[in-house]
Amino acid sequence: MSVYVASILTNMALISFLALSAYLVLVVGVVSFGQQAFFGVGAYVTATVTSIYGGHAVTGVFIGMLSGAACALVLAILTVRLSGLYFAISTLCFAELCRLGLLQVRAPFDIDGRTTGPDGPEGFSNIRWIFEHNYSVQDFLVLTTVCLVALLGLLFLLERSRIMLRARLVGQDSILAQSLGLRPILYRIVFVTLSGGVAGFGGGLFALFNTYIEPNMFGVMLGVHGLAYAVIGGLGAPIGPLIGVAIDIGLLESIRAISAYRMIAFGGLVALLLILLPQGLISPRFVARMRRWRKLFHV
Amino acid sequence: MLRLSNLSKYFGGVRAVDALELNVKTGEIFGLIGPNGSGKSTTVNLVCGIFGPTSGSIELDGVDLKRQAPHQRIDAGVSRTFQNIRLFDDLTVWQNLWVAWRDAPGQEHSWFSNWFGRSLSRRHEIQKLLEFSGLGDKSNNLAGNLAFGEQRRLELARAMASKPKLILLDEPAAGMSSAEVTDLRQRILTMKEMGITVLLIEHVMELVMNVSDRIGVLNFGTLIAEGLPEEIQNNPLVQKAYFGSSENTSGGDTNAIDQ
Ligand SMILES: Nc1ncnc2c1ncn2[C@@H]1O[C@H](COP(=O)(O)OP(=O)(O)O)[C@@H](O)[C@H]1O
Ligand SMILES: [Mg+2]
C-alpha cells in the first residue's frame, strides 16, 4: 500500500474519532459545535507528554483522552442549565476560547537540538515519537485502525445497554424521559464527557501521526465536518458516522476531478442527503427495522 | 395519599390551575373531569414535576413533593400516562417496558441484567406485564407499528413498570371504541385490586362514572364539585359548567378529543 493511500486512510480513521464523538453528543439530543476543542486538547496534551516529558505514546494518548474528557466534563457542567440552542452556541464559544487560549501559549523547548513544545501560532513541531520508534505510515494505519475497531467494539456493547436506550430516550423526548424517572442532565453530562474522551483520544493519535500541530487546525471547520459526518451517517448505530467520513474523504477526496470543488460538493451532498434522509443514512428507524427482520428470520 | 393544597399554575396571564384543593385517598380511584382547558393535564404535570407550581403545595403521603425533581417523584412512587401517546416508536414493545422498568424492592437484578436485560427472571416479569396488557404476542413489534388501542395499552403497561403507588391517567380512553373502553375499565379495576391509587382524568363519561370511587370536577383550574359519581351526575352546577346544562350526562357522546 502506498504511503499516499495509507495516509488518507489514517486521516479517515482519525477524523472518525471526531465524528464518533459528535455522534455521542447527538444521541442525547443536543448539538455540539465544539468537539474540535477536545480533539485539539488531546493533541496538545499527547504532544506535550511524548515530546517534552519523553512519555510513551500510549501514556500520551491516554492522558490526552483524559484531558479531552475533563474539558468536556467542565463544559457539560457549566452548561447544565442551557437548552439545545444555547448549549450549541456555548460549545462553539468554548472551543474558540480553547483555540485562542492555545494561540497564547508560548513555551518552546529545545530538546536534542530541535525546537518543540507549544509556540503560539507557530504551533507545536517535532512531535517525533513515531519516527524515533520507527513506525512507518502503514504501521500507524494499522495501529489507528486497531484503536478504532476497539472503540467500535466498546460502543457496540454500550449500544446494547439500557443506558444507551435511555440516553436515546432522553435525546428524543426529554419530557417522557423525565416522566420515567430519568435525569436528562445526568445523561448529557455523561455522554458529553465520553465524547470528550473519544475526541481527545483521536486528537492524541492525530498529533503523533502529523508530527506538527497548531491551534488553527482545531477551528470551527473541523468541528463542523465531524458533526456533518455524524448527521449524514445517522444516529442509528456508530457505523453511521464512519460512513459519513467515508463519503466525504473516501469518495470526494479520491475523485481527483472534483477535489478542487470538494467543499462545494460536500456541502451540496450534505444538503441533498438531509433533504432525502433527514435522519441520516443509518437512522434509528433503519436499525430497528434491521433488528426486527433479523429476529423474524431467526438469523 | 395525594394532597394538593392551594395549588396554582399561571402561564403568563392564563390561570391554568388556580388555588386547587384536592385530596386523593389511598387505594381509591379518583375521577377528575372538566371541560377542555380546565387545567387537568397541567395538574398532572405539576404532580409529576414537569412544571413547577406558581404557588401551593403537593404532598404524597405527607411528604412535600414540591422541592423534588421529576425523577425523585418517580422514586417516591408516582407514575403517569400522557394525553397524547408518547412512546419510543423505534423500540420494540419489550424495550419500551425495559427502559422504564424498576425492580420491586428486594428483587433487584445483577448489573449484567441491568446492562443487557438478559436475565430470565426479568424477561419473565416483563412478559407477565405484557400478557396483563394483552400485548403478550407483540413483544418484538416496534411500538410505532402498533394499532392505536395497543399503543394506549402499552403506555398503561409502561406506567406500571416503575411499580408506582399512585398512577395518573391523562385521558386514557380518548379515541377508543366502546369495547376498548370496557377493556380499559377492567384494567383500571385490576390496578386498584393491586393496591395502586388511581387519579383518572377522563372525558368519556361511560368510563369515569362507572369506575371512580369519587369524582372531582375542575373548571377554570379550580374544583367546583366533588363527590360520589351519582352526586356529580345530578349536580346542577356541574351540568352547567361541564355539559352546558344539557340533561344527558351519561353515554359516550361527550367523548371530546382535544389537541
Ligand atoms: N405549556 C403551556 N404553556 C402555556 N399555556 C399552557 C401550557 N399548558 C397548558 N396551557 C394552558 O393552560 C390551560 C389548561 O390546559 P390543560 O391543563 O392542558 O387543560 P386540560 O387538560 O384540562 O384540557 C389552557 O388554557 C392551556 O392553553
Ligand atoms: Mg388535557
Side-chain angles (χ1 to χ4, degrees):
Chain A
M1 188 187 292
S2 75
V3 169
Y4 174 73
V5 173
S7 69
I8 285 200
L9 290 177
T10 309
N11 277 322
M12 283 171 66
L14 291 172
I15 197 115
S16 296
F17 285 94
L18 192 66
L20 285 171
S21 89
Y23 169 87
L24 286 172
V25 180
L26 287 170
V27 160
V28 286
V30 282
V31 176
S32 163
F33 289 102
Q35 299 306 105
Q36 69 277 15
F38 313 132
F39 196 79
V41 165
Y44 264 81
V45 168
T46 303
T48 305
V49 170
T50 57
S51 301
I52 301 176
Y53 294 101
H56 194 276
V58 173
T59 322
V61 173
F62 184 71
I63 299 178
M65 175 180 79
L66 293 183
S67 315
C71 284
L73 179 62
V74 170
L75 176 64
I77 289 174
L78 288 176
T79 56
V80 274
R81 300 214 160 270
L82 301 185
S83 62
L85 178 61
Y86 294 99
F87 175 83
I89 294 170
S90 58
T91 54
L92 179 58
C93 297
F94 182 84
E96 283 297 278
L97 274 178
C98 286
R99 186 177 65 82
L100 296 173
L102 282 175
L103 280 172
Q104 300 304 319
V105 180
R106 283 182 180 271
F109 282 79
D110 205 50
I111 291 182
D112 302 333
R114 291 195 188 83
T115 308
T116 185
D119 192 8
E122 264 58 69
F124 193 135
S125 38
N126 285 312
I127 306 163
R128 297 180 51 81
W129 196 88
I130 66 169
F131 289 132
E132 282 161 6
H133 295 79
N134 291 319
Y135 278 89
S136 68
V137 173
Q138 286 87 344
D139 295 336
F140 200 79
L141 172 61
V142 172
L143 187 81
T144 315
T145 310
V146 168
C147 293
L148 188 59
V149 169
L151 174 63
L152 286 173
L154 288 177
L155 288 178
F156 180 78
L157 287 182
L158 182 65
E159 222 43 78
R160 302 245 130 185
S161 70
R162 185 158 71 161
I163 294 171
M164 191 65 165
L165 279 191
R166 287 179 161 179
R168 288 178 179 280
L169 187 59
V170 164
Q172 285 190 11
D173 186 343
S174 84
I175 300 250
L176 172 56
Q178 284 181 304
S179 302
L180 299 181
L182 309 182
R183 273 170 280 182
I185 282 307
L186 192 66
Y187 283 84
R188 187 153 108 189
I189 292 176
V190 168
F191 276 73
V192 168
T193 305
L194 282 179
S195 85
V198 169
F201 189 92
L205 291 175
F206 172 79
L208 294 175
F209 179 64
N210 227 43
T211 72
Y212 166 76
I213 53 177
E214 61 174 60
N216 290 332
M217 286 174 169
F218 311 111
V220 178
M221 280 321 285
L222 181 65
V224 168
H225 271 96
L227 186 61
Y229 299 148
V231 169
I232 61 174
L235 296 184
I239 199 74
L242 302 200
I243 294 177
V245 173
I247 288 175
D248 180 37
I249 303 188
L251 204 65
L252 300 185
E253 177 110 321
S254 54
I255 304 171
R256 287 294 174 85
I258 59 169
S259 67
Y261 308 102
R262 179 172 142 215
M263 286 307 294
I264 299 171
F266 182 60
L269 190 72
V270 170
L272 188 71
L273 274 174
L274 289 185
I275 290 165
L276 296 177
L277 296 166
Q279 299 290 312
L281 290 165
I282 313 288
S283 65
R285 172 140 311 172
F286 176 80
V287 172
R289 293 232 170 89
M290 296 292 288
R291 289 232 174 88
R292 188 165 141 62
W293 283 111
R294 220 180 51 195
K295 279 227 169 83
L296 285 183
F297 295 112
H298 302 288
V299 182
Chain B
M1 156 140 275
L2 178 70
R3 181 193 290 274
L4 310 179
S5 323
N6 199 20
L7 186 67
S8 300
K9 176 69 184 174
Y10 303 161
F11 294 105
V14 180
R15 300 185 164 198
V17 173
D18 196 9
L20 174 63
E21 302 278 341
L22 190 72
N23 201 348
V24 181
K25 295 180 193 143
T26 306
E28 76 175 342
I29 299 176
F30 190 96
L32 188 60
I33 61 175
N36 279 334
S38 59
K40 303 183 299 295
S41 298
T42 305
T43 305
V44 174
N45 283 322
L46 287 171
V47 174
C48 292
I50 301 299
F51 300 146
T54 307
S55 64
S57 80
I58 305 165
E59 274 178 23
L60 184 74
D61 288 335
V63 180
D64 185 13
L65 288 187
K66 211 171 81 174
R67 298 243 158 269
Q68 299 196 353
H71 73 271
Q72 292 170 313
R73 302 184 192 200
I74 311 296
D75 294 342
V78 181
S79 183
R80 73 173 293 185
T81 63
F82 291 87
Q83 181 173 352
N84 306 302
I85 297 176
R86 273 183 138 128
L87 288 169
F88 208 7
D89 284 350
D90 296 334
L91 289 188
T92 64
V93 168
W94 194 89
Q95 285 173 317
N96 265 284
L97 292 190
W98 185 41
V99 288
W101 191 261
R102 294 191 168 212
D103 294 321
Q107 274 196 314
E108 281 83 6
H109 287 79
S110 67
W111 69 268
F112 184 81
S113 174
N114 279 327
W115 189 267
F116 295 109
R118 289 293 153 87
S119 97
L120 279 179
S121 64
R122 173 169 297 167
R123 302 215 137 218
H124 185 69
E125 284 172 55
I126 295 183
Q127 193 60 36
K128 245 175 33 194
L129 181 52
L130 283 174
E131 307 280 343
F132 166 74
S133 311
L135 295 165
D137 55 339
K138 305 266 176 169
S139 68
N140 282 328
N141 288 38
L142 295 185
N145 292 346
L146 294 180
F148 178 79
E150 293 169 332
Q151 293 190 337
R152 282 264 184 232
R153 294 209 293 271
L154 179 54
E155 268 220 326
L156 210 60
R158 186 182 60 196
M160 294 177 72
S162 62
K163 313 285 186 300
K165 295 196 285 197
L166 168 69
I167 220 166
L168 311 166
L169 304 175
D170 197 351
E171 302 195 21
M176 279 188 168
S177 70
S178 92
E180 285 171 327
V181 170
T182 311
D183 176 80
L184 174 65
R185 182 175 148 223
Q186 215 44 55
R187 268 174 230 294
I188 295 176
L189 288 172
T190 313
M191 284 182 191
K192 181 183 171 182
E193 277 163 29
M194 294 164 77
I196 302 174
T197 307
V198 181
L199 178 63
L200 171 67
I201 286 167
E202 196 44 81
H203 264 308
V204 179
M205 288 301 127
E206 178 194 336
L207 176 65
V208 81
M209 289 297 168
N210 284 325
V211 84
S212 309
D213 296 313
R214 288 190 305 139
I215 294 179
V217 186
L218 210 57
N219 200 18
F220 297 114
T222 32
L223 210 60
I224 55 165
E226 189 183 334
L228 301 174
E230 310 83 64
E231 294 169 3
I232 295 299
Q233 223 158 354
N234 300 322
N235 185 330
L237 202 64
V238 175
Q239 296 189 355
K240 187 151 169 282
Y242 194 73
F243 307 107
S245 71
S246 125
E247 292 302 306
N248 180 10
T249 56
S250 53
D253 55 351
T254 45
N255 181 3
I257 302 170
D258 52 349
Q259 289 170 31

